[in-house]
Amino acid sequence: MKSLYRGKNNNLLSALTLNDAVYWGADLFFATVFAFFVLNNIEGGSATHVGIVYGCYRIVRAFCALPVGKFLDQHRGYIDEMWALILSSIIVGGMYITLFYASELWHIYVAMLLIAVGHALNIGSWAVLFYDNITKKYSGETIGMYNTIMQIVYGLAAALSGILGETFGFEWIVLFAGILTILSGFTPLFIRSDIKAISRHGNH
């Protein structure tokens, strides 16, 4: 991972890429089978409910984005971003695991609304940490490398999710997504010394 990017803060950027790959790879595991999960495991579940749930999720995530950004701006340094990443992983991973036991429609709505809040926390904090610390000389290369890695992760996650879901059951994919998401929350702890260092010397 240390040679993933060129320039300064390479270790930080590499760890953040790993965090994003696991976090959003797990999310794609979940998203690929979510409709099948609702139809097969939730009493009264239908395509209509899947659409409404995702619509509510997007709206809540949209309305959370600005307050999260303002909160992060109010605190100098990047320590708050680190804890926001960890909290996001706990919230979202916990909700995926909760969904493993879900049986009624209201369980789905509550879980997805909390997942929306968790995702807003992740997106805001991760973007500040990553893009603020790219070496400008290699910004295009760094972003290109990041996108290459993420698209490969998304492709593999989507394919594996469908195959494993049909083999073992869609509820087990939801549980696996939860475990992966919580594990992604440990990544920021491994780079907390880097985050503390840039917090002391950075402009954020």
Side-chain angles (χ1 to χ4, degrees), residues 2 5-11 13 133-135 138 142:
K2 289 187 176 182
Y5 299 111
R6 290 197 287 174
K8 63 181 181 179
N9 299 323
N10 174 69
N11 185 48
L13 296 177
N133 291 287
I134 292 176
T135 301
Y138 303 113
T142 300

Side-chain angles (χ1 to χ4, degrees), residues 21 28 143-158:
L28 195 57
I143 293 169
M145 175 66 78
Y146 164 77
N147 281 310
T148 297
I149 292 168
M150 293 304 296
Q151 293 308 311
I152 293 171
V153 168
Y154 290 153
L156 291 174

Side-chain angles (χ1 to χ4, degrees), residues 28-45:
L28 195 57
F29 254 88
F30 169 78
T32 302
V33 304
F34 178 65
F36 300 104
F37 171 77
V38 171
L39 295 174
N40 292 333
N41 296 78
I42 305 300
E43 185 176 352

Side-chain angles (χ1 to χ4, degrees), residues 15-27 126 146 149-150 153-154 157 180 184:
L16 287 170
T17 301
L18 175 62
N19 172 269
D20 228 30
V22 177
Y23 184 96
W24 291 107
D27 178 70
W126 188 94
Y146 164 77
I149 292 168
M150 293 304 296
V153 168
Y154 290 153
L180 275 181
S184 73

Side-chain angles (χ1 to χ4, degrees), residues 12-91:
L12 173 71
L13 296 177
S14 297
L16 287 170
T17 301
L18 175 62
N19 172 269
D20 228 30
V22 177
Y23 184 96
W24 291 107
D27 178 70
L28 195 57
F29 254 88
F30 169 78
T32 302
V33 304
F34 178 65
F36 300 104
F37 171 77
V38 171
L39 295 174
N40 292 333
N41 296 78
I42 305 300
E43 185 176 352
S46 66
T48 299
H49 286 293
V50 171
I52 293 173
V53 166
Y54 259 117
C56 292
Y57 157 83
R58 287 290 177 181
I59 291 170
V60 171
R61 183 169 136 181
F63 278 103
C64 287
L66 186 56
V68 167
K70 286 184 175 180
F71 173 81
L72 296 174
D73 284 343
Q74 289 172 359
H75 298 81
R76 183 173 176 80
Y78 297 95
I79 301 301
D80 52 327
E81 280 84 1
M82 181 189 77
W83 288 111
L85 283 179
I86 295 169
L87 179 60
S88 169
S89 296
I90 293 170
I91 292 172

Side-chain angles (χ1 to χ4, degrees), residues 168-180:
F168 299 104
F170 300 116
E171 67 275 14
W172 291 101
I173 300 302
V174 173
L175 178 62
F176 181 60
I179 294 170
L180 275 181

